Every structure is written in C-alpha cells, then in structure tokens.
Amino acid sequence: LVAIAAGDVQAARREAHRAVQLLGETPATLNLAAEAARLAGLDDEAERNFQSLARRHDAAFLGYRGLYRLATARRDWAEASQHLSAAERISPRAGWLRSERATLAARTGDWAVAIASADDATTKAGFAVAGARAATDPRASAALAKQAFGFAPGFAPAAVAHASGLRAAGRESAAQSVLRQAWAEAPHPDIAAAALAGAATPADRSRIAHALA
C-alpha cells in the first residue's frame, strides 16, 4: 500500500506478488495486485485481477470500481456505465457512486442525469450551464440555462447563460432583470459585462451601470 501511494511501481509490483504468494488470492491481495498493475500501466493484468474481485461476493464492489476506473481511463463510457451500474446494485448508498454517476453522465452529454445526480445547487447549475452550451437546439439551450439560473441565481455562468438566451429571443428587459438579480446575489465582473453588452447607447450604459450600483 505504501509503495502504491508513493508511486513506486517496482516495489508495488514486487510486494503485491509476494502478498499473493504468501496469502493467496484474497480480496486484499487481489486488489493490491490490480492496483500495482494499474500503476505500472499493465491494464490487461489489472483488469484480470479486478474481474476476479468482481466475481467474488465479498469483494465485487472493489472489482467493479476498479473496472470502472480502467474503462474511464480509456474513455469507454458505455463499459464504464455498465460497471458503475453493477457497483450501484451491490452498494447503492455509496457516496462515491453518486458523484461518479454525475461525472459520467456529463461526459456522455446526459445532462438530466448529471443534474439529478449532483449533490448541491451550484454543481447542478454548472451541469445545466454545460448542457446549455453543448445544446444545438436553441430552445433546449435556453431551457437548460433557465434551469441553471433557478438552481443558483448568484452563480455568474448561470445568470449570463440565461440572460443570453433571453437576449437572443429579443427579451432584453427580461435579460437585464436576470442580471440585476444575479448581481444582487453575488456581484461578478461577468454579470456586469453581460449587462453592459445590452446597451445600445451611452445613455443605456449609464442607466445599466446605475442599476447595478
């Protein structure tokens, strides 16, 4: 364990092999061997050990967690999702699973799942903003931006995204209202810049700046 934590590949491999020889294939030794192999970049060997863990009723969660990490490292999101679901069936209350489910959903563009799996309002808003930016349908983008602002009105990216959607729809007054609300919650330079971007004349700039003061 110390060698793995220190990143000492040779020592980790040596000690993991020694542990298996002395103690046999137990959950602890298999996990050590798998992690040592993963550290050494021997993914095939690591996968075999994690699969052995996954087949054991007393260590299946460790196995699926390891297989999930290997799949995400090679960006195989479909396989990663399968391993994560298997881990969820074994230990549905594990906190690690919820955050990983949100991260995996975001990587695959499943914004509804990412938002639902996030633990706090700001993280939910962040996922919604990312979804709004990724959306090719303007209506879907606007809906996600509005949702983001609803989660965290003081989160500048959410306010700017929502205001931009309103502005694109020709609703400048509503956009300015959103930005004023966000500014009141948590002043941020991006909010001010977005508000001033809606000014058509110097008089408009002065009025907007005064409203944010």
Side-chain angles (χ1 to χ4, degrees):
L1 284 173
V2 173
I4 290 172
D8 188 335
V9 174
Q10 290 185 342
R13 295 266 294 154
R14 183 177 62 252
E15 294 303 320
H17 179 69
R18 184 165 176 262
V20 171
Q21 284 187 319
L22 290 173
L23 303 173
E25 292 189 346
T26 69
T29 60
L30 284 170
N31 192 51
L32 281 172
E35 292 294 347
R38 189 174 68 87
L39 183 64
L42 301 173
D43 287 355
D44 287 347
E45 182 178 331
E47 187 166 11
R48 285 194 298 273
N49 283 303
F50 284 132
Q51 286 172 343
S52 294
L53 284 167
R55 287 192 292 268
R56 297 177 62 115
H57 74 278
D58 58 348
F61 182 83
L62 281 175
Y64 286 119
R65 186 179 68 173
L67 292 169
Y68 168 79
R69 291 166 66 190
L70 289 176
T72 57
R74 61 176 177 263
R75 303 179 70 83
D76 187 337
W77 309 130
E79 185 175 330
S81 182
Q82 291 175 1
H83 294 317
L84 195 62
S85 294
E88 284 174 327
R89 287 192 293 271
I90 296 166
S91 184
R93 295 184 178 180
W96 167 82
L97 291 168
R98 187 175 179 87
S99 62
E100 288 302 318
R101 176 60 71 189
T103 300
L104 181 60
R107 284 171 171 163
T108 58
D110 192 343
W111 302 110
V113 171
I115 291 166
S117 301
D119 290 324
D120 60 86
T122 301
T123 304
K124 289 178 183 290
F127 283 137
V129 169
R133 290 172 177 168
T136 55
D137 180 354
R139 289 178 297 182
S141 178
L144 282 164
K146 181 179 181 180
Q147 189 177 17
F149 183 70
F151 286 131
F155 183 48
V160 172
H162 185 28
S164 296
L166 292 168
R167 183 170 286 155
R171 300 178 60 192
E172 181 62 32
S173 178
Q176 291 293 340
S177 177
V178 163
L179 294 166
R180 286 195 300 272
Q181 182 181 343
W183 182 267
E185 290 265 350
H188 191 282
D190 289 350
I191 296 173
L196 292 171
T201 66
D204 286 341
R205 288 183 64 83
S206 177
R207 174 179 53 79
I208 291 169
H210 179 74
L212 295 178

